[in-house]
Amino acid sequence: MLGAPGTAAADPSPARARLVKLNEQADQVVERYNQATEAHKKAKKAYDTLNAELGRRSARADGLRRDLAALAARDYRLGSFPAWSGLTGRSDPEAVLGSMASLDQIAQAEAAKVHAFEVATKDLRDRRDQARSVLRKADAARDKVRGEKAKADKLVDQQTKLLRRLGIYNKGNPSSPGIPYTGAASGNAREALEFAFAQVGKPYQYGGTGPGSFDCSGLVQAAWRVAGVKLPRTTWSQWSWGAARRVPLDDVEPGDLLFSKGLGHMGMYAGDGKMVHAPQTGDVIKVVDLDDYWRGRLAGAVRP
């Protein structure tokens, strides 16, 4: 149990107060960057899927076109349907199909091929339109990613300079062996926490999903993936995913996801009033006490 929220103690240092503000701003911008990145990935994947299907449909239509041409050539040689000779040279499939509709002598098998060609052609047009629409969305998402990344980079630069000035910049060790988890969690929650504790000492990196660095939601996603639970990528999407799984802060158990107010940051409850998380630029994955500072800034908890 976390107990009742407290009030953060005031920090007399203007530089440290500035750092807190920068960290809060960076959390929000990084989260928007992660959201935009995921949106672009999904849009690009959808486009690639449609584009591949379009290629397969194009191959099918080409095959049907060849079949029709072969039928036309055969019937022309046999003199069965003189009208074929006027259709085979036309480039517009719809015009060809419209003209062929008037040929009531077409055999049933040939008519079936024509119908299949018509269906394939219409399907191609529809899928092409869908692919173009998805591509436009992917491009818009990519532009948004670029904008958010520029903002995040600027804030990271400010954070780094201030941390160095304060003498507390920690670049971390991407090969850190971490620390053992010795808490009371069991089952897949224990698996998730053991993974998270094994990352302690590795650097925070916005957009990081491992193995050498993580951001806050990237660490939680990776930890629970090892435990067999597929979480969304970002803090906001994990909070939404857990809408039916939320638990009161007084009832949290080891492995539960803890979210800050504003949903710019998150971590995992480790038990005994502690949280494991990837904090912010210039810091490393660590286990912290949920003292008054964090208790007053938690929005809620989710149990995977």
Side-chain angles (χ1 to χ4, degrees), residues 245-264:
R245 300 174 173 85
R246 290 174 193 163
V247 294
L249 288 173
D250 284 348
D251 295 330
V252 295
E253 297 178 357
D256 288 349
L257 316 185
L258 299 177
F259 295 83
S260 70
K261 292 179 179 178
L263 303 182

Side-chain angles (χ1 to χ4, degrees), residues 273-296:
K274 298 181 183 299
M275 175 176 73
V276 58
H277 71 144
Q280 64 269 325
T281 295
D283 208 342
V284 299
I285 297 170
K286 59 177 58 175
V287 180
V288 296
D289 288 321
L290 285 166
D291 54 15
D292 285 345
Y293 179 85
W294 272 111
R295 292 190 192 196

Side-chain angles (χ1 to χ4, degrees), residues 221-233:
Q221 182 192 44
W224 273 100
R225 184 191 303 120
V226 169
V229 177
K230 186 177 181 181
L231 295 177
R233 168 64 184 93

Side-chain angles (χ1 to χ4, degrees), residues 120-184:
T121 302
K122 182 180 184 304
D123 190 62
L124 277 171
R125 281 200 308 274
D126 292 344
R127 288 180 175 273
R128 184 181 294 113
D129 291 343
Q130 291 176 30
R132 286 172 179 165
S133 176
V134 170
L135 180 57
R136 283 194 295 269
K137 291 178 182 178
D139 289 340
R142 181 183 57 196
D143 292 341
K144 184 178 180 181
V145 169
R146 289 171 177 165
E148 295 299 339
K149 186 176 187 303
K151 293 177 185 177
D153 287 341
K154 183 177 180 180
L155 283 169
V156 165
D157 184 58
Q158 294 175 27
Q159 287 174 298
T160 300
K161 289 178 180 178
L162 185 52
L163 286 165
R164 291 188 186 281
R165 184 151 61 94
L166 292 169
I168 55 175
Y169 183 85
N170 187 348
K171 67 178 181 179
N173 176 11
S175 300
S176 172
I179 60 176
Y181 174 72
T182 58

Side-chain angles (χ1 to χ4, degrees), residues 45-81:
K45 182 179 180 180
Y47 169 73
D48 289 343
T49 299
L50 280 171
N51 200 41
E53 179 63 17
L54 187 61
R56 289 190 289 270
R57 294 287 180 171
S58 295
R60 179 188 174 196
D62 288 342
L64 289 168
R65 188 180 292 109
R66 287 191 296 271
D67 289 345
L68 286 171
L71 287 169
R74 185 204 68 186
D75 290 333
Y76 180 75
R77 286 195 304 272
L78 296 175
S80 301
F81 305 118

